[in-house]
Amino acid sequence: MSIAVPAHAEDYVRLVKKAKVLTFKDAKPVPVSSSERLRSVANLELQDGKYIDDCNHPVTPRSIPLDLGKPLPDVRAVFVQDSACYGVGESSLTILDGNDRVIWQDNATSVAVLASANGKVSDLAFQETAPTFSVWRWNASGHVYEMLENVELPD
């Protein structure tokens, strides 16, 4: 079994720079008819046929599939964007596994799937504020992503 593990923060900077960074704009709107697949997104509920965020604002969540490796199939990122609730340009971002369980959740502007991996599951990087990305590694026994470190991308 091979595991790609970067040795230094500089390696993570290189990996983030090479990765495709996905944002709210890359994701597709989630129709209300698919609301059951979003039942685990803690800051989202369905009221009177509309999605409502934790600031009680109507929103249109967007979802995009993520290929994280065979051990963790059918993963998707769910963006809930509301500047008044999460900050200008920010979203609440939830990563769900194929069984609709939350494996990561916080506010972030984007997600990137990195070439490094743990247990054949890709590491993730989340941008919360430019130019900083937080790098997260898969923990199979806890079935969650765990924080590794923050890296800053040079201009």
Side-chain angles (χ1 to χ4, degrees), residues 1-6 68-69 71 115-123 137:
M1 171 170 77
S2 68
I3 298 175
V5 180
L68 302 182
S116 57
N118 183 38
K120 298 185 182 179
V121 176
S122 297
D123 294 338
R137 167 137 302 158

Side-chain angles (χ1 to χ4, degrees), residues 8-65:
H8 304 288
E10 298 84 26
D11 294 332
Y12 287 117
V13 168
R14 183 181 49 78
L15 289 169
V16 172
K17 286 172 106 176
K18 284 184 165 187
K20 178 171 175 54
V21 177
L22 303 168
T23 69
F24 179 82
K25 293 178 183 177
D26 297 304
K28 294 184 180 178
V30 178
V32 171
S33 61
S34 297
S35 64
E36 183 59 26
R37 297 221 47 217
L38 301 181
R39 70 184 179 278
S40 297
V41 178
N43 61 334
L44 191 64
E45 63 181 76
L46 193 62
Q47 291 180 6
D48 301 323
K50 295 180 184 174
Y51 289 110
I52 305 295
D53 66 15
D54 39 274
C55 291
N56 208 29
H57 298 149
V59 292
T60 302
R62 291 176 162 253
S63 180
I64 189 166

Side-chain angles (χ1 to χ4, degrees), residues 2-155:
S2 68
I3 298 175
V5 180
H8 304 288
E10 298 84 26
D11 294 332
Y12 287 117
V13 168
R14 183 181 49 78
L15 289 169
V16 172
K17 286 172 106 176
K18 284 184 165 187
K20 178 171 175 54
V21 177
L22 303 168
T23 69
F24 179 82
K25 293 178 183 177
D26 297 304
K28 294 184 180 178
V30 178
V32 171
S33 61
S34 297
S35 64
E36 183 59 26
R37 297 221 47 217
L38 301 181
R39 70 184 179 278
S40 297
V41 178
N43 61 334
L44 191 64
E45 63 181 76
L46 193 62
Q47 291 180 6
D48 301 323
K50 295 180 184 174
Y51 289 110
I52 305 295
D53 66 15
D54 39 274
C55 291
N56 208 29
H57 298 149
V59 292
T60 302
R62 291 176 162 253
S63 180
I64 189 166
L66 301 177
D67 182 2
L68 302 182
K70 287 184 181 182
L72 196 60
D74 303 321
V75 173
R76 64 196 186 288
V78 178
F79 292 88
V80 177
Q81 190 172 47
D82 180 353
S83 295
C85 195
Y86 308 115
V88 177
E90 287 218 21
S91 300
S92 172
L93 179 55
T94 303
I95 309 297
L96 299 172
D97 71 8
N99 293 317
D100 302 327
R101 293 178 295 186
V102 175
I103 56 176
W104 188 91
Q105 196 281 321
D106 205 341
N107 292 351
T109 60
S110 61
V111 59
V113 178
L114 303 182
S116 57
N118 183 38
K120 298 185 182 179
V121 176
S122 297
D123 294 338
L124 295 175
F126 299 93
Q127 186 174 19
E128 295 162 14
T129 56
T132 303
F133 280 81
S134 60
V135 178
W136 295 68
R137 167 137 302 158
W138 179 245
N139 174 333
S141 64
H143 199 76
V144 295
Y145 272 87
E146 295 180 337
M147 171 74 164
L148 283 178
E149 66 180 279
N150 288 317
V151 296
E152 287 194 31
L153 269 58
D155 291 335

